[in-house]
Amino acid sequence: MALITRSHTLLHSRSCYSSPFFNRPLSLPFPTRATRLRSFSCATSSNSTLSNSIVADLLDYLNESWTHFHATAEAKRQLVAAGFQLLKENEEWDLKPGGRYFFTRNMSCLIAFAIGQKYNVGDGFHVIAAHTDSPCLKLKPRSASTKSAYLMVNVQTYGGGLWHTWFDRDLSVAGRVIVRSGSGNAYLHKLVKVKRPLLRIPTLAIHLDRTVNQDGFKPNLETHLLPLLSMKHEETSLESKEKSTAMSSKSSHQPLLMQVLSDELNCDVDDIVSVELNVCDTQPSCLGGGNNEFIFSGRLDNLASSYCALRALIDSCESPGDLASEHAVRMVALFDNEEVGSGSIQGAGAPTMFQAIRRIVGDLANNHVGESSFERTIRQSFLVSADMAHGVHPNFMDKHEEHHRPELQKGLVIKHNANQRYATSGVTSFLFKEVGKIHNLPTQEFVVRNDMGCGSTIGPILASGVGIRTVDCGIAQLSMHSIREICGKEDIDIAYKHFKAFYQSFSSIDKMLTVDI
């Protein structure tokens, strides 16, 4: 969820992985999926089984997806494995009823869709939209910095993070780079992830900041938030000094960092022509709590929603007969840059989804689209804007309106705001809750207090930009925008089931209510 300022079981040792999967003798093999499922204790209710929980798979997805680029790449991999066909926006499409397709933009935005076998021009799209980005630190274009005897990395803040939580963490870098090919005639787009602890932002000792516990920890984000990379080594020989000076003058980033990246990419430093890197926490996502009922992880906002939506789409049409009686097009839309307002070519503010719907309608109509075909499609479509929700904090219960206090493990939270910070209406809320009711899935309600500001989502952006009926909902969580967040394990499976039920049954539910007669 964007911050708007308008009127695996955890036994953590910071320098090493110590979840059940890493805290084992090196001679033992890595646990199989079955072993992981037993360790996770993934049952979500009295009638659920280990085999139908997606919690273990979510943890795998989170641990793969250190950045929005990696999240999109992993989603792409899973779609290809499930039989979806990759499209390119700059090429012609040849779509068929019953087909499953997807495309990416900037490798940080993804649109996937499955076309019902009984689709007719003018039928609606049933969409779940989420976002791939999370608050983080990003390297500046010129990140090399030296202070005292330390090699530092200059960073800029992205989104509304709880930046004090980034101190004293084992950090590293991940993102994408542009690499010159061996022939020198082309450039390659590659993702990189340095898994070992590489960076750290140390706090100031209390002996040098005696009043910090009384006055609060208030770091200056420009001067106090620079990660340490290494000690600066004194050059002893004239030759090594000249070599170091030459490297430093050519590089906008620390030569040592560039060498680490080149080792990961198996290329020469000089072949790396551009980098776009996030600072990331190296601690893996895992289960926690006395009964393993919590998920402890970074980037739950909003990769938890993204994965539940993606998995629901894949599983709702995995068998040949799943789309046999479907008239609608089932779609998932994962956007970038929600945390900073969505105003980018890969964000929800761009016409990506609008253009995709128009292209799909036109292609399926053999490009003979009637004057009202697209408009009729939009009128019959429905969007679920899925973004994490604020669960009630046991130590700060007064921050929630007393009759709207969502709890963990109690189902999806439907978000309301009279001032349209969320796009939910009485009609869209009813229809989405009806999906849950028919499938015995619980829902909760949230409104912000009148004396507090309200965040927002991509819901109002898409509702107003496309003109599509929209409901805003999310999984309840704690510690939103912290480097480590918390949500309930059961809520993941409830969200997945609710989203899957939405795809499978919304066509019939939508026919039960007519508003504009």
Side-chain angles (χ1 to χ4, degrees), residues 256-471:
L256 176 58
L257 176 61
M258 298 302 291
Q259 186 60 56
V260 171
L261 294 176
S262 71
D263 292 343
E264 289 288 331
L265 295 164
N266 194 26
C267 70
D268 293 335
V269 171
D270 289 341
D271 289 334
I272 302 175
V273 297
S274 179
V275 301
E276 189 172 348
L277 300 175
N278 294 359
V279 176
C280 306
D281 189 10
T282 61
Q283 185 178 356
S285 305
C286 59
L287 295 184
N291 296 308
N292 281 340
E293 65 264 58
F294 301 127
I295 294 175
F296 298 159
S297 175
R299 307 173 304 284
L300 288 174
D301 178 15
N302 190 33
L303 292 186
S305 304
S306 296
Y307 184 73
C308 289
L310 176 75
R311 182 65 176 271
L313 176 65
I314 291 174
D315 291 355
S316 74
C317 55
E318 61 181 343
S319 300
D322 288 341
L323 297 171
S325 60
E326 180 63 85
H327 290 266
V329 177
R330 302 172 183 176
M331 176 180 281
V332 64
L334 306 181
F335 295 102
D336 192 5
N337 299 132
E338 188 274 347
E339 297 293 355
V340 292
S342 299
S344 68
I345 189 175
Q346 58 272 1
T352 313
M353 193 178 84
F354 182 88
Q355 292 171 347
I357 294 175
R358 184 180 288 279
R359 288 190 69 173
I360 295 166
V361 171
D363 190 276
L364 293 173
N366 296 317
N367 294 314
H368 298 295
V369 181
E371 180 183 359
S372 62
S373 299
F374 180 72
E375 287 75 15
R376 286 189 290 117
T377 293
I378 295 299
R379 295 290 79 74
Q380 296 197 71
S381 297
F382 193 95
L383 171 72
V384 177
S385 169
D387 202 351
M388 301 297 280
H390 295 292
V392 62
H393 196 303
N395 298 334
F396 301 92
M397 293 182 64
D398 60 332
K399 294 296 183 180
H400 276 68
E401 199 276 336
E402 63 175 324
H403 301 297
H404 298 85
R405 291 175 172 172
E407 298 179 17
L408 274 59
Q409 317 284 35
K410 295 293 181 66
L412 281 171
V413 180
I414 298 178
K415 307 174 186 179
H416 303 262
N417 184 262
N419 298 303
Q420 296 301 297
R421 304 304 295 160
Y422 303 127
T424 306
S425 71
V427 172
T428 60
S429 173
F430 164 75
L431 290 171
F432 191 66
K433 285 191 290 186
E434 194 68 11
V435 172
K437 181 179 178 181
I438 291 173
H439 293 83
N440 297 314
L441 297 169
T443 56
Q444 307 179 76
E445 312 273 358
F446 171 78
V447 294
V448 75
R449 290 172 55 111
N450 288 326
D451 55 359
M452 296 179 64
C454 184
S456 191
T457 69
I458 59 177
I461 296 172
L462 294 171
S464 60
V466 180
I468 186 172
R469 295 175 296 166
T470 302
V471 63

Side-chain angles (χ1 to χ4, degrees), residues 20-32:
F21 314 138
F22 293 96
N23 190 20
R24 68 188 198 285
L26 295 177
S27 59
L28 294 180
F30 197 85
T32 63

Side-chain angles (χ1 to χ4, degrees), residues 29-38:
F30 197 85
T32 63
R33 172 174 165 79
T35 303
R36 288 187 292 118
L37 285 170
R38 288 194 295 272

Side-chain angles (χ1 to χ4, degrees), residues 8 54-68 70-71 74 78 131-132 134 193 280-287 294-308 388 484-487 492:
H8 345 84
I54 68 164
V55 171
D57 295 328
L58 170 65
L59 292 173
D60 288 341
Y61 180 74
L62 290 167
N63 286 323
E64 284 293 326
S65 304
W66 280 19
T67 73
H68 47 317
H70 290 83
E74 177 60 16
Q78 294 191 25
H131 64 90
T132 60
S134 302
K193 180 195 301 180
C280 306
D281 189 10
T282 61
Q283 185 178 356
S285 305
C286 59
L287 295 184
F294 301 127
I295 294 175
F296 298 159
S297 175
R299 307 173 304 284
L300 288 174
D301 178 15
N302 190 33
L303 292 186
S305 304
S306 296
Y307 184 73
C308 289
M388 301 297 280
R484 294 288 285 186
E485 301 173 321
I486 309 171
C487 75
I492 297 302

Side-chain angles (χ1 to χ4, degrees), residues 116-258:
Q117 289 278 12
K118 293 188 176 181
Y119 174 84
N120 292 306
V121 175
D123 288 339
F125 282 60
H126 300 159
V127 188
I128 302 176
H131 64 90
T132 60
D133 62 315
S134 302
C136 66
L137 302 176
K138 292 178 178 285
L139 268 65
K140 292 180 178 179
R142 301 183 65 85
S143 70
S145 177
T146 302
K147 291 187 176 183
S148 184
Y150 298 99
L151 299 181
M152 315 287 288
V153 178
N154 269 317
V155 294
Q156 53 185 329
T157 57
Y158 175 85
L162 290 172
W163 303 120
H164 66 275
T165 65
W166 287 71
F167 284 75
D168 294 333
R169 303 290 303 184
D170 293 344
L171 306 173
S172 190
V173 294
R176 68 173 172 190
V177 298
I178 307 299
V179 180
R180 184 183 294 108
S181 68
S183 63
N185 297 324
Y187 297 95
L188 305 175
H189 177 278
K190 291 189 174 183
L191 301 188
V192 65
K193 180 195 301 180
V194 181
K195 295 183 180 180
R196 68 179 177 89
L198 188 67
L199 305 171
R200 197 174 180 95
I201 308 172
T203 50
L204 183 64
I206 194 169
H207 313 81
L208 305 177
D209 191 9
R210 293 286 186 180
T211 64
V212 64
N213 289 329
Q214 292 76 40
D215 299 339
F217 182 48
K218 302 173 182 178
N220 182 292
L221 300 185
E222 178 63 23
T223 59
H224 299 158
L225 202 58
L226 276 67
L228 305 181
L229 172 65
S230 177
M231 296 295 297
K232 181 181 179 182
H233 296 287
E234 292 294 332
E235 304 291 350
T236 56
S237 69
L238 178 61
E239 181 180 351
S240 60
K241 286 183 179 180
E242 291 176 348
K243 181 179 179 181
S244 176
T245 301
M247 290 182 64
S248 299
S249 64
K250 290 192 301 181
S251 177
S252 298
H253 307 282
Q254 295 287 2
L256 176 58
L257 176 61
M258 298 302 291

